[in-house]
Amino acid sequence: MALYEHIFLARLDVTPQQVETLTEQIKTKIAALGGAVTKVEPWGLKSLAYRIKKNRKAHFTLLNISAPSEAVVELERTLSLNEDVIRYLTIRVDELEAGPSAMLRKLEDSDRDDRGPRGPRGDRPDRGDRGDRPDRGDRPPRRPREDTNVVGAI
């Protein structure tokens, strides 16, 4: 059987539970057609690079599929009829990726709470507490503007 990576995008106003239900429907459809879904990765709600069918965000889900090509054709036909799915993409691969996908690794790596202190600043000196800057209240008042190019002031 051929190996596929399949990603579909569900509309913003669909709940995560409805996305899970849709994923289960896809899994049963593939199983009925002689294939198997080996991995499901819900990537969650993400912003789109551009508007797709008036949506700026979508629920992303990745499926690793081992199935005959007829099953994938039928899956894509079914998804094209579903109003909740705004885009889908199926790619045939030589082998399926073991472990989390690059997107999930990116989400795990982006824990910014674990950052340490700031590193060296290169050739820029430390600015200190900037106590030498004058406060706004210490500034002299502005001079009034002399508008010479005012329309109608002839």
Side-chain angles (χ1 to χ4, degrees), residues 39-77:
K39 178 170 70 169
V40 176
E41 283 188 4
W43 291 346
L45 188 65
K46 296 186 149 304
S47 296
L48 300 172
Y50 52 90
R51 291 177 65 176
I52 301 174
K53 296 183 182 178
K54 299 182 181 179
N55 290 288
R56 293 196 181 274
K57 292 187 176 190
H59 296 274
F60 285 63
T61 305
L62 169 75
L63 304 170
N64 283 352
I65 300 173
S66 171
S69 62
E70 297 83 19
V72 174
V73 169
E74 178 62 23
L75 170 66
E76 290 181 347
R77 187 191 72 80

Side-chain angles (χ1 to χ4, degrees), residues 2 10 13-15 18 20 31 45 56 59 62 65 67 70 72 92 98 106 115 126 133 136 140 150 153:
D13 55 346
V14 173
T15 64
Q18 289 174 316
E20 289 176 17
L45 188 65
R56 293 196 181 274
H59 296 274
L62 169 75
I65 300 173
E70 297 83 19
V72 174
R92 184 173 179 179
K106 178 182 167 187
R115 294 192 308 180
D126 184 25
R133 292 184 76 184
R136 276 206 176 272
V150 177

Side-chain angles (χ1 to χ4, degrees), residues 8-28:
F8 70 91
L9 282 62
R11 292 183 308 151
L12 169 65
D13 55 346
V14 173
T15 64
Q17 291 80 18
Q18 289 174 316
V19 174
E20 289 176 17
T21 304
L22 181 60
T23 305
E24 290 301 318
Q25 290 173 356
I26 291 172
K27 287 171 68 174
T28 55

Side-chain angles (χ1 to χ4, degrees), residues 81-132:
L81 297 174
N82 192 332
E83 293 180 358
D84 292 335
V85 176
I86 57 176
R87 283 283 196 277
Y88 59 87
L89 177 68
T90 307
I91 300 172
R92 184 173 179 179
V93 293
D94 293 331
E95 62 182 75
L96 296 174
E97 186 176 353
S101 66
M103 287 297 289
L104 281 187
R105 286 193 305 265
K106 178 182 167 187
L107 290 175
E108 292 168 0
D109 292 345
S110 68
D111 291 336
R112 298 177 69 87
D113 298 339
D114 298 337
R115 294 192 308 180
R118 202 169 192 187
R121 296 174 51 98
D123 60 344
R124 295 186 298 181
D126 184 25
R127 298 189 318 182
D129 64 352
R130 307 279 302 234
D132 58 338

